[in-house]
């Protein structure tokens, strides 16, 4: 079917108390793997690209890839800009045809984050394209950039004010997750998450899910998370698939051979996480 926006699938997830998996894709094989997983589990799905990915191949190429794969599929597929770094990139993604946009003003001061996010919401509204923003700082290495000075948790009162002033459609919260692989057992501030969920009436987004125990993800979903982002573990799965083939047969020169191995690994991982998120079987 044609690409859909995040509006309906995230509101269904919020009402049904499950989350939609959002998976970062970087090449055609990862796009195929994620959409095949969604088809096999009859799950709605979000594919997303970060600014560094967009720089690698261009918004238009990812759109063409995901749009074509989505049109062949029977489940709802969204193409989302992850961590949109500035107004310009957000507008480029909107014009290209992305069906969901994140503007990440979390590195700015509170008022500047409000102003930037509000401008993006205003610009996306006539096209009915929903906007995700971030408040507080998710730690770790984000899109190849080091998060630097650590993390600052989202304040529930600020979240309420932020949502009222910006009109954003979903909000990424900082409750102790980090991008990349965790060094120790991550401790999430789930009480804070519940407070944020009570303060705002929009879907909440969990970034940095790679390496989080599935039980922790499920607890976060029970408390209001409706979108869960996975990136690093897809990279690992894809690379492992490719490496295994090349290790076994170093003379392999057909990219389809090691590409297929990458697809299988990514697909298996994505299916596991769709089951964790509870979105399997939720496609209309
Ligand atoms: P991970 O790389 O930790 O899975 O984080 C993904 C993410 O939050 C993308 O925005």
């Amino acid at each position: 079917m044609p690409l859909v926006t995040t509006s309906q699938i995230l509101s269904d997830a919020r009402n049904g108390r499950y989350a939609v998996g959002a998976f970062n894709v970087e090449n055609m094989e990862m796009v195929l793997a994620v959409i095949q997983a969604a088809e096999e589990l009859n799950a709605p799905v979000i594919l997303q690209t970060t600014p560094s990915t967009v720089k690698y191949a261009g918004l238009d190429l990812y759109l063409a890839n995901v749009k074509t794969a989505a049109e062949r599929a029977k489940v709802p597929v969204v193409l989302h800009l992850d961590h949109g770094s500035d107004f310009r990139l957000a507008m480029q993604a909107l014009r290209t045809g992305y069906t969901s946009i994140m503007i990440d003003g979390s590195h700015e001061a509170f008022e500047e984050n409000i102003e930037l996010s509000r401008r993006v919401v205003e610009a996306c509204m006539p096209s009915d394209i929903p906007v995700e923003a971030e408040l507080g700082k998710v730690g770790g290495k984000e899109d190849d950039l080091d998060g630097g000075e650590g993390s600052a948790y989202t304040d529930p009162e600020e979240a309420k004010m932020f949502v009222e002033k910006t009109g954003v459609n979903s909000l990424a919260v900082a409750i102790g997750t980090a991008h990349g692989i965790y060094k120790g057992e991550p401790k999430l501030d789930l009480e804070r998450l519940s407070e944020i969920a009570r303060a705002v009436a929009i879907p909440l987004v969990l970034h940095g899910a790679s390496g989080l125990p599935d039980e922790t993800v499920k607890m976060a979903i029970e408390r209001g998370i409706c979108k869960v982002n996975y990136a690093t573990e897809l990279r690992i799965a894809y690379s492992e698939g490719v490496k295994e083939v090349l290790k076994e047969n170093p003379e392999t020169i057909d990219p389809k051979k090691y590409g297929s191995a990458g697809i299988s690994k990514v697909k298996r991982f994505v299916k596991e996480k769709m089951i964790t998120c509870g979105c399997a079987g939720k496609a209309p």
Side-chain angles (χ1 to χ4, degrees):
M1 62 168 83
L3 286 173
V4 300
T5 74
T6 27
S7 301
Q8 191 64 48
I9 62 169
L10 290 188
S11 107
D12 289 349
R14 189 163 179 268
N15 293 334
R17 300 177 76 84
Y18 61 90
V20 179
F23 302 97
N24 286 66
V25 291
E26 318 208 33
N27 60 15
M28 185 186 74
E29 285 76 10
M30 293 169 97
V31 171
L32 290 173
V34 174
I35 295 185
Q36 282 173 18
E39 282 269 84
E40 287 177 23
L41 290 184
N42 197 37
V45 68
I46 300 166
L47 283 78
Q48 50 190 24
T49 60
T50 59
S52 75
T53 303
V54 166
K55 203 164 159 209
Y56 175 62
L59 289 159
D60 52 352
L61 199 77
Y62 288 109
L63 174 78
N65 238 241
V66 176
K67 186 172 177 283
T68 305
E71 279 163 2
R72 291 182 190 167
K74 289 185 205 69
V75 293
V77 177
V78 173
L79 178 58
H80 173 79
L81 176 69
D82 188 28
H83 290 290
S85 41
D86 53 34
F87 186 76
R88 187 182 158 84
L89 181 61
M91 292 306 99
Q92 286 169 341
L94 173 70
R95 286 208 196 98
T96 301
Y98 274 52
T99 55
S100 179
I101 306 281
M102 176 183 188
I103 181 70
D104 183 358
S106 64
H107 302 282
E108 310 282 343
F110 184 58
E111 289 300 332
E112 276 81 67
N113 189 359
I114 289 180
E115 183 51 21
L116 175 62
S117 304
R118 194 194 55 74
R119 279 176 69 211
V120 174
V121 169
E122 219 167 67
C124 290
M125 207 176 275
S127 320
D128 286 328
I129 295 299
V131 176
E132 172 185 328
E134 179 170 319
L135 187 61
K137 279 184 199 154
V138 175
K141 203 173 180 207
E142 169 188 300
D143 190 23
D144 298 339
L145 300 170
D146 216 314
E149 344 74 84
S151 56
Y153 288 7
T154 308
D155 177 80
E157 275 307 306
E158 280 192 358
K160 185 171 190 285
M161 202 188 307
F162 185 87
V163 170
E164 280 166 9
K165 289 196 170 178
T166 57
V168 292
N169 306 89
S170 59
L171 185 67
V173 292
I175 53 163
T177 55
H179 295 102
I181 289 299
Y182 293 93
K183 297 203 176 76
E185 168 94 12
K187 290 256 177 312
L188 302 201
D189 189 342
L190 293 171
E191 202 35 59
R192 177 182 297 269
L193 174 59
S194 295
E195 280 177 42
I196 301 168
R198 280 193 291 272
V200 305
I202 57 171
L204 300 177
V205 181
L206 189 68
H207 280 243
S210 288
L212 268 191
D214 289 342
E215 283 316 306
T216 309
V217 173
K218 285 182 188 166
M219 282 192 278
I221 293 169
E222 273 168 29
R223 290 171 185 248
I225 291 295
C226 305
K227 172 176 180 267
V228 181
N229 286 9
Y230 294 96
T232 305
E233 282 186 292
L234 272 85
R235 286 181 166 189
I236 293 172
Y238 181 73
S239 304
E240 273 177 359
V242 171
K243 280 190 253 180
E244 274 172 21
V245 170
L246 292 177
K247 197 170 166 210
E248 214 165 289
N249 294 301
E251 72 289 354
T252 306
I253 56 149
D254 181 351
K256 297 190 288 303
K257 294 246 158 61
Y258 47 82
S260 307
I263 290 175
S264 304
K265 291 261 182 191
V266 172
K267 190 156 109 180
R268 189 179 319 149
F269 172 79
V270 169
K271 284 170 87 170
E272 269 172 37
K273 297 307 169 188
M274 284 174 161
I275 290 165
T276 301
C277 287
C279 59
K282 301 291 187 189

